[in-house]
Amino acid sequence: MREPKVEVGILFEPQIEFVLLGTYQLNGEELSGKQTATFNDGKILWKGRLYDELLFVPANERTDSFDLIDVTIGINFHWERKEDQRFLGALKIIVEGKKLTGINVIAIEDYLTSVISSEMSATASLELLKAHAVISRSWLLAQIQKTKEIADTHSNYSAYTETEEELIRWYDREDHTRFDVCADDHCQRYQGITRASTEIVEQAIAATRGQVLTSEGKICDARFSKCCGGAFEEFEYCWEDVKYPYLAKQRDSKTITELPDLRQEAEADKWIRTSPEAFCNTKDKKVLSQVLNNYDQETTDFYRWKVTYTQQELSELILKRSGVDYGQILDLIPIERGTSGRLVKLKIIGTNRTLTIGKELEIRRTLSTSHLYSSAFVVDKTEISNNIPGRFTLIGAGWGHGVGLCQIGAAVMGEQGYVYDEILLHYYIGANIERLYE
Ligand SMILES: [Zn+2]
Ligand SMILES: [Zn+2]
C-alpha cells in the first residue's frame, strides 16, 4: 500500500474563487493565477465552458499550493466568519445540489500534520502526540474505506427506539458521500497550511508514519474522550448494541486493576461519590494544559464534579431541552448504567408525566443548557416539601462518553514515562499497531 490521499470537503458555494500559486495541470493544460468557477444549470461553468468535475493537479505536490477565497469557518458558531485559506495538494470541484463543492485532495500525512497542529496543545508531550497521531490516522483511514463502501447510500446514525414509557436515542457521525471528511468540527477542523504546523507534531507524525490500530484484521474505531472518570465505558452503552473487543471495561490504572461492577447501582454510587486512584485522577495544571485549551482550564473539577439545580431551574431546563412537559420534577431514577457508571437509562418522574430517557448523550443534553460533563452521576434531593424536592444535586464523574482513550489519563501516562504504544494498548485492549504503508 502506498500513502493514500484524503478528499476533504472545504467549501460549498454557488461560486468558488481560487488562486493557483504554482503550476497546476487540468486535462494536459498548464494553469496558474486567479480562477473562478460558477454553478450553472447543474454543471460547473469555468472559462466559458461547462464541466461535471474539475481537477487541478499540482506539478509539485510538496511545494505547490493554492488559495481558496472566502472559506466559511466556525459554521454555526457565534464566531462564524470567512477567511482565505491556503492548501497543499490538488483542488477538485464537483456539483452538489445547487452549489459547487471545493475539495482538497491531499496526502494523508500532510492532512494529519495540519489537523493535529490545530487540535492539540503545543505543550503536549511527544508520546501523547504520537498516540493521537495513530488514533487520527486510524479514524481517517477507516473513514476513507467507508466513503468507498457506502458510495451513494446515505448513512445516518441518529437512531432511536420510542414507546410510551421510553425514549432511547443515540447520536453518531453522519458520513459524507462525495468526499471523505469535511473541514469542520463535524469531522476534524482542517485549515490546510493557512497557519504554520507545530514542529513537535511534525515529529510525532513522522515517527508513527503509516501506523494504525487494528483488531481482527480491521482498522479500529478508535474513540476517545476527555476524562473517563476512572473506568472505561463500553461502546454498546453509548451507541448501537455492538461489542468491540478493544473497547472494553477496565480501570484507568496500571497499579490497581481491580474494578467494581459499576452497572450495579450500589457500586456506582460508592465509586462516583469517592475519588478512586486512576491516571485521569489529577488536578496537575501542567498535565491538563496538554489536553485542554485555556478556556477549559478555568475549572479542574471533572474527575469528580457537582451541579446543583433548584426545582424551578430543573423543571424549566428539562422542558426547554426535551420539549416534554413533566410538570414539577419529583425524582430522577437510575435505571441502567454502563461499565464506567455512566447512565444509559434515566427515569424522569414528574407531576405530569414519567418517561425513561437514554442513552448517555440524550441524558446529558436533557439535563444541561449545553452538555452535562457526563452521565456518570448520582442525584441527591433536598428541601423536600409536600413530596416535591426543592433542590437537586448531581454528583458526577468524568467528562465525555468515556469510551476508548481517556485524553487526560493518556497525558498523565505520557508524563509518567509511558511510550505511545503502551498508552494506546492500555486504552484499546488487545489491539495491534500496524504500519499500513512505508
Ligand atoms: Zn464531516
Ligand atoms: Zn481516565
Side-chain angles (χ1 to χ4, degrees):
M1 186 175 181
R2 288 182 52 195
E3 179 183 353
K5 291 196 163 53
V6 57
E7 303 203 351
V8 192
I10 309 285
L11 85 176
F12 314 89
E13 299 286 347
Q15 180 163 299
I16 296 178
E17 283 187 275
F18 53 102
V19 183
L20 303 171
L21 299 165
T23 306
Y24 283 68
Q25 281 217 340
L26 186 136
N27 301 332
E29 191 189 341
E30 293 204 335
L31 299 152
S32 60
K34 187 159 185 181
Q35 315 282 332
T36 304
T38 311
F39 175 83
N40 188 303
D41 202 16
K43 293 201 182 276
I44 307 161
L45 176 66
W46 179 65
K47 284 191 163 181
R49 294 180 63 175
L50 292 171
Y51 299 84
D52 290 316
E53 180 180 311
L54 293 171
L55 180 64
F56 300 90
V57 181
N60 186 329
E61 265 204 354
R62 284 264 118 80
T63 54
D64 289 340
S65 60
F66 63 89
D67 284 349
L68 283 174
I69 309 303
D70 281 347
V71 178
T72 305
I73 60 167
I75 294 173
N76 297 331
F77 282 91
H78 63 92
W79 50 270
E80 178 176 319
R81 61 189 161 87
K82 289 180 182 243
E83 69 170 22
D84 299 349
Q85 294 193 333
R86 184 162 292 178
F87 300 89
L88 284 175
L91 172 65
K92 184 171 165 181
I93 298 175
I94 61 168
V95 179
E96 282 190 296
K98 291 196 182 315
K99 285 181 178 178
L100 301 182
T101 299
I103 296 169
N104 182 202
V105 186
I106 182 168
I108 80 165
E109 299 292 319
D110 289 336
Y111 169 82
L112 290 170
T113 304
S114 170
V115 293
I116 296 179
S117 288
S118 59
E119 275 191 0
M120 295 291 292
S121 163
T123 64
S125 71
L126 181 61
E127 296 305 314
L128 179 64
L129 289 170
K130 281 158 77 176
H132 255 287
V134 175
I135 292 173
S136 285
R137 191 179 292 105
S138 304
W139 169 79
L140 185 63
L141 283 163
Q143 219 45 50
I144 293 170
Q145 271 183 4
K146 258 197 202 166
T147 316
K148 283 195 187 115
E149 281 162 16
I150 57 176
D152 286 317
T153 60
H154 205 65
S155 103
N156 179 1
Y157 275 113
S158 167
Y160 67 99
T161 59
E162 186 173 8
T163 66
E164 256 312 286
E165 293 83 37
E166 221 177 64
L167 176 61
I168 306 302
R169 227 191 293 222
W170 63 93
Y171 304 85
D172 215 337
R173 270 174 28 81
E174 188 179 336
D175 295 314
H176 301 290
T177 52
R178 301 289 304 277
F179 46 85
D180 303 312
V181 293
C182 68
D184 231 296
D185 283 345
H186 171 263
C187 290
Q188 293 193 67
R189 200 177 298 172
Y190 169 66
Q191 51 200 16
I193 52 168
T194 313
R195 287 163 194 85
S197 54
T198 319
E199 204 190 306
I200 188 169
V201 171
E202 287 172 10
Q203 270 180 51
I205 299 285
T208 61
R209 184 179 166 83
Q211 292 182 9
V212 295
L213 284 158
T214 62
S215 171
E216 296 168 337
K218 279 188 173 163
I219 298 173
C220 293
D221 191 340
R223 308 266 163 160
F224 62 90
S225 66
K226 283 265 161 55
C227 175
C228 72
F232 306 166
E233 194 49 76
E234 294 185 353
F235 185 91
E236 65 192 283
Y237 296 108
C238 295
W239 298 284
E240 358 166 29
D241 289 327
V242 179
K243 259 202 186 305
Y244 291 104
Y246 51 88
L247 298 176
K249 69 173 176 206
Q250 180 174 282
R251 185 150 176 169
D252 192 5
S253 170
K254 287 266 190 204
T255 46
I256 307 175
T257 51
E258 173 270 326
L259 179 68
D261 185 356
L262 301 178
R263 292 171 305 172
Q264 306 297 323
E265 192 55 32
E267 296 286 4
D269 193 279
K270 198 166 112 195
W271 177 262
I272 293 167
R273 289 179 194 277
T274 54
S275 189
E277 189 186 311
F279 283 123
C280 55
N281 185 355
T282 182
K283 294 196 177 193
D284 183 339
K285 290 225 169 200
K286 181 172 168 268
V287 171
L288 295 175
S289 72
Q290 297 187 20
V291 176
L292 310 174
N293 62 38
N294 292 331
Y295 174 77
D296 293 328
Q297 283 171 52
E298 286 173 16
T299 170
T300 55
D301 300 330
F302 33 72
Y303 186 70
R304 292 294 178 268
W305 47 262
K306 192 190 266 190
V307 175
T308 300
Y309 295 118
T310 62
Q311 170 65 241
Q312 193 186 349
E313 284 169 345
L314 186 65
S315 49
E316 282 176 8
L317 177 67
I318 294 178
L319 172 61
K320 185 173 154 229
R321 298 292 289 169
S322 68
V324 178
D325 186 3
Y326 291 85
Q328 292 197 289
I329 306 299
L330 298 175
D331 212 344
L332 301 171
I333 298 179
I335 299 296
E336 187 188 346
R337 292 187 188 270
T339 54
S340 73
R342 280 170 176 75
L343 281 164
V344 183
K345 291 184 181 180
L346 175 73
K347 188 188 247 181
I348 304 176
I349 301 178
T351 48
N352 287 351
R353 107 159 265 202
T354 293
L355 187 66
T356 298
I357 63 165
K359 297 183 178 181
E360 65 93 29
L361 188 55
E362 184 73 7
I363 294 170
R364 290 162 62 198
R365 285 182 175 178
T366 304
L367 295 182
S368 167
T369 47
S370 54
H371 293 173
L372 202 64
Y373 271 145
S374 85
S375 73
F377 59 82
V378 291
V379 182
D380 289 336
K381 295 168 291 172
T382 48
E383 299 169 23
I384 300 169
S385 81
N386 297 328
N387 228 6
I388 296 173
R391 193 173 289 271
F392 291 84
T393 302
L394 277 51
I395 297 165
W399 184 359
H401 53 65
V403 178
L405 181 129
C406 164
Q407 288 183 293
I408 292 168
V412 171
M413 287 185 82
E415 281 303 302
Q416 292 183 1
Y418 289 95
V419 293
Y420 81 103
D421 45 348
E422 290 175 313
I423 297 173
L424 288 169
L425 299 181
H426 171 64
Y427 291 105
Y428 304 101
I429 300 158
N432 307 299
I433 299 169
E434 271 185 72
R435 190 182 289 274
L436 291 190
Y437 50 88
E438 289 301 318

